[in-house]
């Protein structure tokens, strides 16, 4: 949906630039550009990436890197949650969509109980399968840990630099740049147009 809206917004932006005149064309262009920035931040950017060194959770406004040594448990309540000694890290893109399943998960949340995904994987929900796969990744990587701190951002993302045994969070530069430029553009259009 995010890619489709980006294409539609760019086509509309081209149309406004070619045929639009006056203040309303500037305002429409600014809102279309802002909507593309919003779609990027909210829909296209968020993801969860399993790396050799840990779990990279990219949420709309921040990025969290959880080393495998810090992962205690991964489960699903309303979103995918990674339990660490420092607390619970929640994932934006991996959500439970059905209210009844969220209520069931909340009732089950009294302890770390594995879901019955292994009983029948074909009936399991996608986010439960992802949690199971991430738990298996954590167990496998804890069994053969990689030594030393992370020094290269390409390896596991910028939030991972220097991480050793605890989760690290940061607001990426790309988010700051996109939001700043969008806000500056909207302010400029309303003040100058």
């Amino acid at each position: 949906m995010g890619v489709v809206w980006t294409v539609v917004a760019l086509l509309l932006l081209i149309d406004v630039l070619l045929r639009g005149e006056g203040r309303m064309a500037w305002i429409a262009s600014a809102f279309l550009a802002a909507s593309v920035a919003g779609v990027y931040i909210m829909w296209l950017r968020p993801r969860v990436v399993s790396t050799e060194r840990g779990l990279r959770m990219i949420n709309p406004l921040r990025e969290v890197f959880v080393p495998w040594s810090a992962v205690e448990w991964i489960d699903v309540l309303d979103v995918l949650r990674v339990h660490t000694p420092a607390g619970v890290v929640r994932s934006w893109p991996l959500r439970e969509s059905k209210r009844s399943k969220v209520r069931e998960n909340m009732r089950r949340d009294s302890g770390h109980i594995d879901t019955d995904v292994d009983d029948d994987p074909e009936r399991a929900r996608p986010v439960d399968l992802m949690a199971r796969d991430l738990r298996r990744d954590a167990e496998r990587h804890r069994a053969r840990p990689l030594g030393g701190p992370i020094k290269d951002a390409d390896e596991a993302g910028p939030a991972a630099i220097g991480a050793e045994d605890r989760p690290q969070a940061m607001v990426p530069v790309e988010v700051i740049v996109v939001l700043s430029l969008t806000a500056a553009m909207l302010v400029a259009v309303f003040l100058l147009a």
Side-chain angles (χ1 to χ4, degrees), residues 49 75 77 112-113 127 144 150 185:
V49 180
D75 66 358
L77 191 59
H112 296 305
I113 301 170
V127 73
R144 54 173 188 80
I150 297 167
M185 176 191 57

Side-chain angles (χ1 to χ4, degrees), residues 18-30:
L18 292 176
R19 297 194 293 168
E21 294 178 9
R23 184 171 200 259
M24 290 309 290
W26 282 101
I27 292 172
S29 299

Side-chain angles (χ1 to χ4, degrees), residues 84-99:
T84 69
V88 176
V89 180
R90 299 168 62 86
S91 164
W92 169 276
L94 297 175
R95 306 182 150 275
E96 182 61 64
S97 58
K98 291 206 171 187
R99 288 184 192 177

Side-chain angles (χ1 to χ4, degrees), residues 6 18 36 40 52-53 64 79 93 95 100 102 106 113 147 170 181:
T6 301
L18 292 176
V36 170
Y40 170 73
E52 287 293 316
R53 299 228 180 209
V64 180
V79 296
R95 306 182 150 275
S100 60
V102 170
M106 291 177 139
I113 301 170
M170 67 172 284
L181 288 177

Side-chain angles (χ1 to χ4, degrees), residues 26-144:
W26 282 101
I27 292 172
S29 299
F31 274 111
L32 285 170
S35 74
V36 170
V39 163
Y40 170 73
I41 293 289
M42 300 296 284
W43 283 343
L44 299 178
R45 187 176 174 281
R47 60 190 175 277
V48 175
V49 180
S50 176
T51 70
E52 287 293 316
R53 299 228 180 209
L55 195 57
R56 183 178 179 195
M57 300 172 72
I58 303 170
N59 292 332
L61 299 180
R62 71 181 181 135
E63 183 173 321
V64 180
F65 180 78
V66 182
W68 291 121
S69 60
V71 174
E72 292 179 342
W73 187 253
I74 299 173
D75 66 358
V76 178
L77 191 59
D78 55 337
V79 296
L80 182 96
R81 303 182 314 164
V82 178
H83 298 266
T84 69
V88 176
V89 180
R90 299 168 62 86
S91 164
W92 169 276
L94 297 175
R95 306 182 150 275
E96 182 61 64
S97 58
K98 291 206 171 187
R99 288 184 192 177
S100 60
K101 185 67 175 168
V102 170
R103 282 194 298 272
E104 176 187 324
N105 291 344
M106 291 177 139
R107 285 191 295 268
R108 190 189 71 219
D109 191 43
S110 60
H112 296 305
I113 301 170
D114 197 2
T115 59
D116 54 358
V117 172
D118 293 327
D119 295 342
D120 188 8
E122 290 187 16
R123 289 189 35 212
R125 304 191 57 77
V127 73
D128 288 329
L129 291 172
M130 179 63 78
R132 181 199 63 187
D133 292 344
L134 290 173
R135 283 192 300 271
R136 288 179 180 171
D137 285 350
E139 291 170 10
R140 184 184 58 188
H141 288 290
R142 273 195 305 256
R144 54 173 188 80

